[in-house]
């Protein structure tokens, strides 16, 4: 995330929703990821949350008045609007959405909204009836038609005790929705990427399963990097510790067989397929429909082979389609990976060590080597999984250009 947000100028508009306090978390994450955040609070937002909090988080003066004394000429509204790489309005009230729709410029935020040419991302938060009101819905449609982006809202229990759509979506999802809008790299624009991520659960009985330690972190990093570069990303994801990022279409599955079925239906239209999931090679031949009781004797399980998901995609690989796989090895990493590269007709394989404290399942870092069809090995140093994902996408871009 740091590479994507570093030094990007983001105007964070906070309006008078009860969820205004959550904008502090958004400001904090964006700042942590290296963005330069200019907090702008509307009059009613100032009734709900203090500007000093935002100034402390962002390290910048919060703008709360149209004609604030010019502490510093740079705050001059046109300069800020022109410097912005993104306008993020979170939370956004029905009133703000209506004023934005009709070009009303009666405060600093709505005035500069007309002056900026930066992308605008709105995260609505309001009572369900207000959100579902035709006026609000039509206003949002009008803004979408003008190219304004929306993220959320979520459905659930609101502060006003109603239950339904209108809750501000999770702050991390809002930050993730900023990624493709602030990213400076668009070398995967319109490329369709289908990938697998996470582990699989192979049932023994309704209570027990055979699984593995995949957390989904590598898959999430790949999806985020691809989205940042303009790709459309579909992730068939087994059970994982981490969620797929906002902007990716996540298709949850449990077993290898379900993963194979989902992938075969999707991979045909993909420009790139990446097999990052730890797919179980075996499943229990006959899972029990009821919980197996302890009997004091050994429990024998007959295991049968699962479909090779990546192999299925490789078998029907289209011309110019790019196939990327991983090799999770504990011994002879490069030799075993090179064998898989050939056997599965891959264009690129990521050979990653999985038996150390700093690489593989559940870790935030990875010690990997990228091996191309030509056998050339790019032995990477220990990197974060986000950095590995960046290197992988660099190679995918090169493969697309060479196809
Ligand atoms: O999710 P994390 O905690 O971040 O961990 C990341 C990871 C270690 C799981 C990931 O980096 C990784 O190595 N994924 C591949 C794990 C795996 O199953 O490797 P393998 O060598 O057993 O399989 C080789 C390739 O075939 C992989 O691309 C795998 O997705 C694919 N495969 C394997 C078996 C199978 N039945 N179907 C498959 O598609």
């Amino acid at each position: 995330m740091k590479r994507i947000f570093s030094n990007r100028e983001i105007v964070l508009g906070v309006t008078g929703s009860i969820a205004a306090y959550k904008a502090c978390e958004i400001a904090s994450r964006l700042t942590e990821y290296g963005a330069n955040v200019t907090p702008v609070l509307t009059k009613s937002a100032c009734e709900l949350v203090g500007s000093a909090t935002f100034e402390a988080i962002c390290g910048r003066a919060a703008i709360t008045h149209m004609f604030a004394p010019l502490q510093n000429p740079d705050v001059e509204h046109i300069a800020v609007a022109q410097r912005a790489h993104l306008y993020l309005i979170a939370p956004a009230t029905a009133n703000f959405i209506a004023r934005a729709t009709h070009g009303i410029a009666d405060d600093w935020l709505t005035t500069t909204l007309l002056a900026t040419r930066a992308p605008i991302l709105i995260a609505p938060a309001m009572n369900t009836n207000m959100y579902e009101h035709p006026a609000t819905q039509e206003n949002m449609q009008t803004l979408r038609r003008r190219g304004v982006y929306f993220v959320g809202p979520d459905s659930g229990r609101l502060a006003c005790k109603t239950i339904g759509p209108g809750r501000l979506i999770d702050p991390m999802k809002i930050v993730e929705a900023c990624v493709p809008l602030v990213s400076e790299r668009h070398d995967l624009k319109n490329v369709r990427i289908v990938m697998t991520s996470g582990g699989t659960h192979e049932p023994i009985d309704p209570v027990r399963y055979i699984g593995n330690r995949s957390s989904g972190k590598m898959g999430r990093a790949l999806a985020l990097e691809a989205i940042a570069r303009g790709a459309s990303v579909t992730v068939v994801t087994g059970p994982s510790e981490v969620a797929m990022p906002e902007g990716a279409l996540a298709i949850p599955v449990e077993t290898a067989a379900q993963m194979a079925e989902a992938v075969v239906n999707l991979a045909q239209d993909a420009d790139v397929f990446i097999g990052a999931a730890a797919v179980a090679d075996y499943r229990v031949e006959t899972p029990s429909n009821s919980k197996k009781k302890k009997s004091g004797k050994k429990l024998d399980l007959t295991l049968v082979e699962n479909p090779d998901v990546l192999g299925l995609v490789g078998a029907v690989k289209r011309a110019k389609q790019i196939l990327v796989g991983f090799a999770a090895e504990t011994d002879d990493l490069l030799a075993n990976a090179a064998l898989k590269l050939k056997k599965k007709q891959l264009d690129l394989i990521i050979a990653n060590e999985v038996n150390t404290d700093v690489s593989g399942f559940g870790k935030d870092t990875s010690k990997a080597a990228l091996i191309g069809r030509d056998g050339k090995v790019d032995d990477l140093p220990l990197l974060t999984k986000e950095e590995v994902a960046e290197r992988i996408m660099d190679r995918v871009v090169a493969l697309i250009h060479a196809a």
Side-chain angles (χ1 to χ4, degrees), residues 213-218 275-281 307-310 325-329 340 344 352 354 360-362 385:
R213 295 180 174 80
S214 174
S215 64
K217 289 178 181 176
M218 188 70 241
V279 190
D281 287 326
D308 179 343
V309 179
L310 193 52
F326 278 75
E329 304 295 344
K340 282 176 183 169
K344 301 187 183 227
N352 55 177
V354 292
F361 293 91
K385 283 182 176 173

Side-chain angles (χ1 to χ4, degrees), residues 51-310:
S51 57
T53 310
F54 288 94
E55 294 183 355
I57 292 170
C58 303
R60 275 191 176 178
I63 299 172
T64 55
H65 295 83
M66 184 67 189
F67 301 104
L70 285 183
Q71 306 94 328
N72 125 26
D74 208 18
V75 170
E76 211 279 312
H77 53 284
I78 300 299
V80 176
Q82 287 171 337
R83 189 177 61 209
H85 295 111
L86 175 67
Y87 259 64
L88 169 61
I89 321 297
T93 57
N95 171 44
F96 168 81
I97 289 170
R99 289 188 292 138
T101 304
H102 297 285
I104 293 170
D106 59 0
D107 64 9
W108 196 96
L109 189 55
T110 49
T111 301
T112 59
L113 211 62
L114 295 175
T116 191
R117 290 296 168 265
I120 298 168
L121 175 63
I122 292 179
M126 63 195 78
N127 162 278
T128 299
N129 291 345
M130 294 173 75
Y131 180 72
E132 291 178 340
H133 192 289
T136 307
Q137 290 295 318
E138 285 161 25
N139 287 337
M140 290 192 297
Q141 283 311 325
T142 302
L143 289 172
R144 281 194 187 93
R145 272 200 307 277
R146 292 180 192 154
V148 172
Y149 300 90
F150 283 83
V151 57
D154 251 346
S155 287
R157 185 176 171 72
L158 298 157
C160 51
K161 310 280 184 291
T162 52
I163 294 181
R167 270 170 75 94
L168 183 70
I169 196 169
D170 180 80
M172 191 58 196
K173 290 286 181 193
I174 295 173
V175 170
E176 289 166 354
C178 298
V179 163
L181 303 177
V182 297
S183 174
E184 294 176 276
R185 298 182 69 169
H186 302 287
D187 48 4
L188 285 172
K189 192 163 172 53
N190 300 326
V191 172
R192 295 161 300 176
I193 297 181
V194 172
M195 57 180 289
T196 60
S197 174
T200 58
H201 287 174
E202 306 300 331
I204 295 170
D205 61 25
V207 170
R208 305 176 181 91
Y209 60 79
I210 298 174
N212 61 60
R213 295 180 174 80
S214 174
S215 64
K217 289 178 181 176
M218 188 70 241
R220 174 184 159 82
L222 285 163
L224 205 55
E225 181 67 21
I227 288 166
R229 293 164 105 162
S232 78
V233 179
T234 302
V235 189
V236 180
T237 171
S240 305
E241 201 181 293
V242 297
M244 285 302 120
E246 184 67 21
L249 172 62
I251 298 174
V253 295
E254 188 191 6
T255 66
Q258 290 166 355
M259 187 174 274
E261 186 185 352
V263 162
V264 164
N265 291 331
L266 289 163
Q268 274 305 304
D269 299 330
D271 301 307
V272 181
F273 179 80
I274 304 175
V279 190
D281 287 326
Y282 295 93
R283 67 177 182 280
V284 175
E285 184 174 40
T286 46
S288 162
N289 291 326
S290 55
K291 183 184 173 188
K292 289 182 178 289
K293 293 311 214 182
K294 284 199 296 192
S295 61
K297 296 198 290 294
K298 275 195 312 179
L299 171 62
D300 289 326
L301 294 173
T302 303
L303 302 184
V304 293
E305 276 207 10
N306 267 326
D308 179 343
V309 179
L310 193 52

